[in-house]
């Protein structure tokens, strides 16, 4: 057993090695290890319509900032309804004249080229993603960018195998599609949305989130370099009104949305009765379930990864820990010990585990719900790390003594905050895990294969991870049950949402 000396001050070692007298549980200093690649940012980003960067018709721009220090990074064009019209007109033209008619094997070449060009510029994209969104550069570098390239590679592989998408049936593209994405995985969400749509022969108008448009617009540079025909992909930037204009436009045959359940419901209401196809990837409140026979140290790593990865800005974050009562004290002690040594701070530092919260609004939302958790009687523990004085940061936080009636057990916090509940039997675990409006993902930690199979069948969640958490692969479909949405992204199932079958 390791010794915990939480509040005792210990000598700090510099130069990468802890002083020998440091006891596990203390945070020691590392020398700064900033990522140095040039993100090659422009001072101003225009809209990307019909293969060209064009000024918005209104002439208006808004600032995008670095949430780690609140400094302005660039200006982003503010699209109006007239720009959205122009983007859809370009997409329709591209569909009618080039992309919709092109054999799949030709489209595949463009997708491969895009994936390869993204790999060539991987470090530059990782740094841009981190500066604009606040996530640790080790995540942008090791997860977001390679996974985005993997999605283009994977879907390139489908574009020339259309006969196998739905064997015995003919597949045809839907036409033009409209897509809106959130700020938590800006480039990766672009890839999730664009790659299957393009592989199946559709053309796209996409709106990135207001706070994180840069990597989409850098991807547009790659589309130009790849020689993608003009109009196949169009990016319109701005806030919620632009998103509504993209979703409600008469042109698209299908709309795809990733974001909050609240906005998803608004979109569904406004499109009710139309013949548009729709897919919705919405919020979550996943349960990470730990049984007493689980390898507990491994489970603790999975829990930490499940909720503190990307500052908890993850739809499938394991934001509820359900732990079997007999090991609850042990797991909570281990968890506290682990989060004490999480490095919170400058996302550009390669040692940082938990970076900046994406925006002041999101930080305020997290603080409000955490205050509610305290008022409701949850027992809060936060790591005692120092936070930078500028920028938006929140300490890794856990609440024990939580029950299902607490708001922090029911509502999506979308921040580095874990609510801990206990259970005694397998059935109680299943009941508590399913007792939520959401159903995006879940985690199960146990030594017993039969129990994993039982839970993966009975948990109402689109993804169930066993003895691991937050693992993704383009071949594996992702999507929700209940208020987490409908439709799948990734795998063969994801393609079916972008084709007409006959
Ligand atoms: P959000 O507020 O719903 O925004 C998502 C996107 O929709 C943004 O681009 C937003 O523009 C736009 N938007 C806002 N109002 C709109 C409207 N009335 N009509 C059309 N578009 C509109 O969500 P968020 O706060 O950015 O992202 C966090 C949420 O996304 C969480 O609930 C999370 O669980 C969910 N999410 C789900 C998945 C999944 O796969 N299921 C993946 C990632 C995230 P602005 O940026 O200007 O607000
Ligand atoms: Mg930003």
């Amino acid at each position: 057993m390791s010794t915990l000396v939480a509040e005792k001050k210990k000598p700090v070692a510099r130069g990468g090695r802890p002083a020998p007298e440091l006891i596990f549980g203390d945070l020691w200093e590392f020398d700064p290890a900033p990522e140095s690649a040039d993100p090659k940012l422009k001072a101003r980003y225009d809209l990307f319509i019909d293969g060209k960067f064009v000024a918005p018709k209104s002439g208006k721009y808004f600032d995008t900032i670095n949430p780690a220090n609140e400094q302005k990074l660039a200006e982003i064009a503010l699209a109006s309804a007239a720009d959205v019209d122009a983007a859809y007109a370009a997409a329709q033209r591209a569909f009618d004249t080039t992309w919709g008619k092109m054999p799949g094997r030709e489209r595949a070449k463009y997708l491969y080229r895009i994936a390869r060009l993204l790999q060539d510029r991987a470090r530059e994209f990782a740094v841009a993603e981190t500066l604009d969104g606040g996530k640790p550069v080790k995540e942008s570098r090791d997860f977001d960018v390679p996974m985005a390239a993997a999605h283009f590679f994977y879907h390139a592989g489908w574009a020339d195998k259309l006969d196998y998408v739905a064997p015995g049936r003919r597949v045809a593209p839907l036409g033009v599609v409209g897509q809106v994405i959130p700020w938590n995985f800006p480039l990766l969400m672009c890839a999730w949305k664009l790659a299957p749509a393009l592989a199946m022969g559709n053309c796209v108008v996409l709106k990135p989130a207001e706070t994180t448009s840069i990597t989409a617009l850098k991807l547009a540079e790659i589309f130009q370099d790849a020689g993608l025909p003009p109009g196949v992909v169009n990016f319109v930037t701005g806030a919620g009104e632009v998103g509504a204009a993209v979703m409600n436009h008469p042109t698209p045959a299908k709309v795809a949305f990733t974001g909050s359940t609240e906005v998803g419901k608004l979109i569904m209401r406004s499109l009710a009765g139309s013949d548009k196809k729709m897919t919705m990837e919405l919020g979550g409140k996943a349960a990470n379930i730990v049984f007493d026979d689980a390898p507990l140290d491994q489970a603790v790593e999975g829990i930490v990864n499940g909720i503190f990865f990307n500052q908890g800005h993850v739809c499938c974050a394991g934001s509820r820990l359900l732990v079997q009562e007999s090991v609850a004290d042990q797991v909570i002690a281990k968890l506290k010990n682990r989060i004490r040594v999480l490095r919170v701070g400058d996302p550009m530092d390669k040692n940082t585990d938990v970076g900046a919260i994406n925006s002041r609004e999101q930080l305020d939302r997290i603080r409000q719900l955490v205050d509610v958790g305290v008022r409701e009687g949850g027992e809060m523990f936060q790591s005692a790390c120092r936070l930078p004085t500028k920028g938006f940061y929140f300490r890794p936080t856990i609440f024990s003594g939580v029950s299902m009636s607490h708001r922090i057990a029911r509502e999506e916090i979308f921040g580095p905050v874990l609510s801990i509940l206990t259970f005694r039997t397998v059935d109680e675990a299943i009941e508590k895990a399913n007792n939520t409006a959401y159903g995006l993902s879940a985690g199960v930690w146990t030594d017993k294969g039969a129990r994993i199979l039982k839970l993966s069948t009975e948990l109402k969640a689109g993804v169930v991870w066993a003895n691991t958490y937050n693992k993704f692969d383009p071949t594996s479909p992702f999507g929700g049950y209940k208020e987490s949405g409908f439709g799948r992204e990734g795998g063969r199932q994801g393609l079916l949402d972008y084709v007409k079958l006959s």
Side-chain angles (χ1 to χ4, degrees):
M1 284 282 293
S2 53
T3 320
L4 284 178
V5 272
E7 266 45 83
K8 208 166 129 195
K9 288 274 173 288
K10 283 279 153 191
V12 159
R14 298 216 165 254
R17 282 168 61 102
E21 66 271 33
L22 279 179
I23 297 172
F24 181 63
D26 288 325
L27 185 64
W28 54 84
E29 291 290 324
F30 291 172
D31 279 347
E35 169 60 62
S36 57
D38 178 1
K40 301 200 176 94
L41 300 186
K42 297 186 205 162
R44 173 176 266 199
Y45 284 89
D46 281 316
L47 306 170
F48 184 66
I49 296 177
D50 211 12
K52 294 184 287 291
F53 286 97
V54 294
K57 292 196 197 309
S58 67
K60 290 186 187 152
Y61 291 81
F62 61 94
D63 292 347
T64 192
I65 64 158
N66 177 352
N69 57 21
E70 302 173 55
Q71 280 169 11
K72 175 174 164 179
L73 286 173
E75 287 176 3
I76 309 284
L78 178 60
S80 60
D83 297 308
V84 174
D85 285 343
Y88 272 119
Q92 189 67 59
R93 242 182 347 262
F95 180 75
D96 294 340
T97 59
T98 56
W99 200 248
K101 294 181 168 167
M102 194 183 279
R105 63 179 182 280
E106 293 301 316
R107 291 198 299 266
K109 293 179 191 168
Y110 289 97
L111 292 179
Y112 276 122
R113 219 176 279 162
I114 292 164
R116 302 267 301 261
L117 288 168
L118 187 54
Q119 283 184 321
D120 285 349
R121 292 172 63 180
R123 268 183 83 196
E124 173 197 334
F125 269 72
V127 169
E129 193 74 318
T130 283
L131 289 176
D132 203 18
K135 66 177 64 196
V137 73
K138 71 177 174 192
E139 280 173 19
S140 327
R141 180 197 64 194
D142 298 345
F143 179 71
D144 296 60
V145 178
M147 192 56 75
H151 272 265
F152 283 108
F153 275 125
Y154 173 73
H155 287 93
W158 270 115
D160 63 358
K161 300 175 192 68
L162 299 180
D163 290 345
Y164 301 94
V165 172
R169 304 185 67 180
R170 281 174 59 85
V171 301
L174 296 170
V176 173
V177 301
Q179 303 177 327
V180 171
I181 57 170
W183 42 260
N184 57 346
F185 292 93
L187 177 70
L188 185 56
M189 287 295 123
C190 258
W192 276 30
K193 289 268 177 289
L194 293 176
L198 300 186
M200 296 298 105
N202 304 282
C203 295
V204 179
V205 174
L206 184 147
K207 188 197 92 71
E210 182 188 4
T211 54
T212 53
S213 303
I214 287 180
T215 44
L217 296 162
K218 287 176 81 70
L219 191 61
E221 296 168 5
I222 283 186
F223 294 158
Q224 288 182 324
D225 292 347
L228 190 70
V232 172
V233 177
N234 306 273
F235 291 124
V236 286
T237 43
E241 305 80 62
V242 183
V246 169
M247 296 281 102
N248 294 320
H249 201 274
T251 302
K254 175 209 161 93
V255 295
F257 175 77
T258 297
S260 61
T261 295
E262 189 190 346
V263 173
K265 284 181 182 175
L266 280 178
I267 296 169
M268 284 187 265
R269 240 176 256 140
S270 67
L271 294 182
S274 79
D275 64 350
K276 283 193 172 90
K277 268 186 120 176
M278 216 189 284
T279 44
M280 293 277 151
E281 300 286 351
L282 308 175
K285 191 75 189 174
N288 216 342
I289 308 171
V290 178
F291 288 93
D292 59 5
D293 61 345
L296 294 186
D297 288 323
Q298 205 178 310
V300 166
E301 283 309 305
I303 297 161
V304 166
N305 172 275
I307 185 62
F308 300 122
F309 169 59
N310 201 26
Q311 298 71 249
H313 296 337
V314 185
C315 50
C316 51
S319 53
R320 287 185 298 156
L321 167 63
L322 301 188
V323 55
Q324 198 154 20
E325 209 172 83
S326 48
V327 289
D329 288 347
Q330 206 183 337
V331 168
I332 292 169
K334 282 176 185 284
L335 253 179
K336 288 181 176 172
N337 206 8
R338 184 66 183 88
I339 71 171
R340 278 189 183 102
V341 292
L342 284 177
R343 312 189 64 82
V344 185
D346 181 8
M348 283 289 281
D349 192 311
K350 287 176 273 191
N351 293 320
T352 293
D353 299 307
V354 180
I357 302 299
N358 181 261
S359 64
R360 186 181 295 283
E361 293 70 35
Q362 187 58 27
L363 181 59
D364 289 345
R365 226 171 287 159
I366 297 168
R367 284 182 175 149
Q368 272 169 21
L369 268 167
V370 165
D371 288 348
V372 168
V374 172
R375 280 204 302 279
E376 284 177 329
E379 193 184 314
M380 186 175 80
F381 174 87
Q382 289 186 316
S383 74
C385 55
R386 276 190 303 274
L387 298 182
T389 48
K390 283 291 259 179
F392 315 131
Y393 293 91
F394 198 80
R395 294 197 158 83
T397 301
I398 61 178
F399 276 101
S400 46
V402 177
S403 75
M404 280 312 297
S405 61
H406 289 174
R407 275 180 66 191
I408 53 167
R410 288 182 284 117
E411 294 180 28
E412 190 181 38
I413 301 175
F414 224 57
V417 182
L418 176 70
S419 302
I420 305 177
L421 299 93
T422 58
F423 68 88
R424 287 185 183 168
T425 64
V426 175
D427 288 341
E428 188 188 349
I430 294 170
E431 194 197 314
K432 281 190 168 159
N434 285 338
N435 184 2
T436 163
Y438 297 109
L440 195 54
S441 57
V444 182
W445 298 84
T446 175
D447 199 29
K448 295 189 179 52
R451 193 180 277 166
I452 290 170
L453 291 175
K454 178 178 167 68
L455 268 87
S456 58
T457 312
E458 296 187 23
L459 290 172
K460 295 285 169 269
V463 181
V464 179
W465 284 291
N467 294 326
T468 187
Y469 206 86
N470 269 343
K471 289 284 178 287
F472 296 90
D473 190 286
T475 62
S476 175
F478 184 87
Y481 278 56
K482 301 194 279 186
E483 293 197 12
S484 290
F486 47 86
R488 292 292 179 264
E489 289 185 323
R492 194 183 69 85
Q493 289 81 349
L495 302 175
L496 297 174
D497 284 317
Y498 283 98
V499 291
K500 274 194 282 225
L501 295 178
S502 55

